[in-house]
Amino acid sequence: MHLYVKVIKAVSAGFFFLITLEALTLSTVFAATTLSIDADTASGVAPLEVKITCVTDPTTTQPIGYFIDYGDGTTEEVESTQYSHTFTHTYDAGYFKAIATVKKKIGSTASSDVFKFIVAKWRFKTGDDVDSSPAIGSDGTVYVGSDDGILYALDPEIGSEIWRFQTGGAIQSSPAVDPNGTIYIGSLDKNLYALTPKGQIKWSFDIGEEIFSSPAIGPDGRIIYIGSNDNNLYAITASGTLKWAFPTNGKIISAPSIGHDGTEYVVFFGSLDNHVYAVSANTGKFKWAFETNAGVYASPAIDLAGRIYVGELMLESATKYNAEFYCLNVDGTKHWSVVSRGPGFYSSPAIGSDGTIHVGSWDGYFFSLDPAFGELKWSSRPGPLYAPINSSPAVGTAGGLTVVYAGSRKGNFYAFQSKQKETEAMQDWVFSTDDDILNSSPVIDDQGTIYFGSQDNYVYAINPGNLSLADSPWPMNQR
């Protein structure tokens, strides 16, 4: 019932009196009955058994039964005069929206809000933290490294191990796969490795210092580019010989990105010496350097116009946090920058199909920026305080909406749905792991499955359904 109140004031014999309230009924609906729905968990690995509790407001008419639509094509109904009821249900892999209804003695009903469940296809346990980001081979095989020093090849459907390759140090570098199926991976044992699709070593190249940077493969598949803690960016041939090395004055954690400046292919990368560099992909010749205020850990993203997007990160030595996120022209001049008011960005940006720039920040915010001048489209701070989003996002399309995926240091993996109305929440669903998702970034395969790692030692595979990778020049980390 919608109640409109009209107060009429009249004057008689020198005093005021109030004439009564007037109620206008615009529509007749069931008097408000609150039905809440909650579950003992909202995420997990299939098969996932959940207990869903429905609670009716005890000040309302007594229930006579409950009905629930689990969102997976099954429903259940019970007779009950209690003001709460708990259903037990087992979900297979996918994304589900459950809704419950309570039936009342007077013949009316009330429905709950939707409760969302996200259920992983599988998880694979490694021997240590997973800070490496997965890569996907042309046959769908998932490759991912672990701090146990092993590169794993996993079956994408069931998550079983196909083979493993042991290095002599932790693997925080992310693998790259060339058109012939050769897998390249760096290790903290100071080597870059080249492996066959069956996990046999083709060669290794001793760089001499730890490798946190991830390899990038040149457009023709003949050159592999990678940074090192010895301050150099290396270009190594597909046969394992050095082509050239480019020196900087700081460690290179940033994974190189390859674009074209209108004349030739160019390698763009950041250094902890507070610069973004551009060098010739063929010769390693210096083209330009852009000076930042702090070290650049992230990998640049490049749009169709050749503009480069990357953020800086201020750590312990900073006395004031005002880190910037930059858009650079292809010639190295600044197109625009925005100030984050926080430590900055370890996360590498991704680009949506409409050109929107998506990136996570060290202080737990997730930003979506207009590419023209860096204006904020939307932001979200979904996790608890001190939960940096260092994971680099992947951008997908689901049901006609843009959905951006990224992990958080407090163990949550988020799906941020593009804002269609001001009242809509950005958070579509949350999948919880048992430890930080620190540096591992999600990738999306052509079946719509998302893969990522966590410091709980697991690699996860989630397919929410109806998902495809965004049609974009840079939809996820390292393109």
Side-chain angles (χ1 to χ4, degrees):
M1 177 181 291
H2 298 274
L3 184 67
Y4 282 71
V5 178
K6 185 186 292 182
V7 179
I8 302 174
K9 201 171 0 179
V11 179
S12 176
F15 63 93
F16 290 89
F17 66 94
L18 291 179
I19 297 178
T20 189
L21 303 177
E22 179 182 347
L24 304 177
T25 303
L26 300 183
S27 61
T28 302
V29 295
F30 172 60
T33 298
T34 300
L35 177 66
S36 63
I37 181 173
D38 200 0
D40 58 349
T41 185
S43 66
V45 181
L48 179 67
E49 183 180 276
V50 298
K51 295 186 183 301
I52 305 171
T53 300
C54 306
V55 179
T56 303
D57 184 344
T59 65
T60 61
T61 308
Q62 188 176 29
I64 61 172
Y66 293 87
F67 174 86
I68 188 166
D69 183 340
Y70 291 114
D72 61 356
T74 62
T75 61
E76 189 174 350
E77 187 172 5
V78 297
E79 294 181 359
S80 174
T81 58
Q82 302 300 308
Y83 279 87
S84 69
H85 180 78
T86 299
F87 293 92
T88 300
H89 186 67
T90 300
Y91 282 104
D92 291 327
Y95 177 35
F96 310 102
K97 301 177 182 180
I99 188 168
T101 302
V102 61
K103 296 183 177 181
K104 312 292 285 188
K105 282 187 175 180
I106 60 174
S108 300
T109 63
S111 295
S112 69
D113 291 333
V114 169
F115 194 94
K116 300 175 181 179
F117 298 92
I118 183 70
V119 185
K121 290 172 60 176
W122 52 258
R123 66 177 185 176
F124 175 83
K125 188 173 185 179
T126 73
D128 209 332
D129 298 347
V130 182
D131 291 315
S132 171
S133 303
I136 303 168
S138 59
D139 62 353
T141 301
V142 179
Y143 302 101
V144 65
S146 169
D147 284 5
D148 63 9
I150 297 173
L151 178 72
Y152 295 90
L154 306 177
D155 183 285
E157 289 303 314
I158 60 176
S160 61
E161 181 180 319
I162 301 172
W163 52 257
R164 63 173 62 189
F165 178 81
Q166 179 77 59
T167 73
I171 298 176
Q172 298 196 0
S173 171
S174 301
V177 187
D178 77 8
N180 297 317
T182 299
I183 307 112
Y184 300 96
I185 187 69
S187 171
L188 298 194
D189 71 3
K190 307 176 183 179
N191 284 284
L192 172 68
Y193 293 92
L195 308 175
T196 71
K198 294 185 177 180
Q200 299 167 331
I201 189 168
K202 296 178 72 173
W203 52 259
S204 64
F205 185 91
D206 186 355
I207 284 178
E209 280 291 343
E210 294 177 327
I211 302 172
F212 290 91
S213 174
S214 300
I217 300 170
D220 60 5
R222 298 168 60 185
I223 307 295
I224 301 90
Y225 306 92
I226 193 165
S228 169
N229 275 17
D230 70 356
N231 303 356
N232 286 296
L233 181 79
Y234 290 91
I236 300 169
T237 70
S239 59
T241 60
L242 178 66
K243 183 174 176 66
W244 53 256
F246 180 87
T248 74
N249 293 313
K251 297 177 181 179
I252 301 174
I253 308 298
S254 171
S257 300
I258 302 169
H260 202 283
D261 67 358
T263 302
E264 63 176 335
Y265 284 106
V266 180
V267 184
F268 303 99
F269 63 98
S271 170
L272 300 195
D273 68 3
N274 299 9
H275 285 86
V276 178
Y277 289 93
V279 299
S280 166
N282 183 43
T283 64
K285 182 180 178 180
F286 173 82
K287 298 191 73 99
W288 53 257
F290 176 84
E291 185 173 6
T292 61
N293 305 304
V296 179
Y297 291 79
S299 176
I302 306 167
D303 71 11
L304 290 175
R307 287 187 290 263
I308 302 107
Y309 303 89
V310 71
E312 63 189 14
L313 181 61
M314 298 175 168
L315 293 177
E316 292 82 1
S317 60
T319 57
K320 181 181 179 181
Y321 286 151
N322 56 355
E324 294 186 61
F325 183 86
Y326 300 95
C327 171
L328 306 179
N329 296 310
V330 72
D331 62 359
T333 56
K334 184 169 74 172
H335 188 58
W336 53 256
S337 69
V338 293
V339 178
S340 73
R341 299 181 184 176
F345 307 89
Y346 191 97
S347 171
S348 301
I351 302 175
S353 56
D354 62 353
T356 300
I357 311 303
H358 304 279
V359 66
S361 73
W362 191 274
D363 55 350
Y365 282 94
F366 194 86
F367 298 102
S368 287
L369 306 173
D370 187 281
F373 300 104
E375 293 181 356
L376 182 67
K377 284 191 166 185
W378 57 263
S379 66
S380 177
R381 196 181 196 183
L385 293 176
Y386 312 113
I389 299 177
N390 292 346
S391 171
S392 303
V395 188
T397 301
L401 296 176
T402 296
V403 186
V404 189
Y405 305 93
S408 160
R409 195 164 188 167
K410 294 297 182 180
N412 288 332
F413 185 81
Y414 294 102
F416 299 105
Q417 193 174 74
S418 60
K419 184 174 287 189
Q420 300 300 300
K421 299 178 182 178
E422 287 299 320
T423 56
E424 285 185 347
M426 297 310 306
Q427 185 175 297
D428 192 27
W429 50 258
V430 183
F431 183 92
S432 296
T433 73
D434 293 327
D435 209 334
D436 294 343
I437 302 172
L438 190 58
N439 301 328
S440 184
S441 301
V443 296
I444 303 172
D445 72 9
D446 58 8
Q447 302 301 310
T449 300
I450 310 160
Y451 305 95
F452 64 94
S454 169
Q455 290 196 332
D456 65 2
N457 300 7
Y458 284 97
V459 181
Y460 291 88
I462 298 175
N463 192 321
N466 197 28
L467 171 65
S468 59
L469 190 63
D471 183 11
S472 154
W474 212 277
M476 55 188 176
N477 189 36
Q478 294 184 266
R479 214 171 190 173

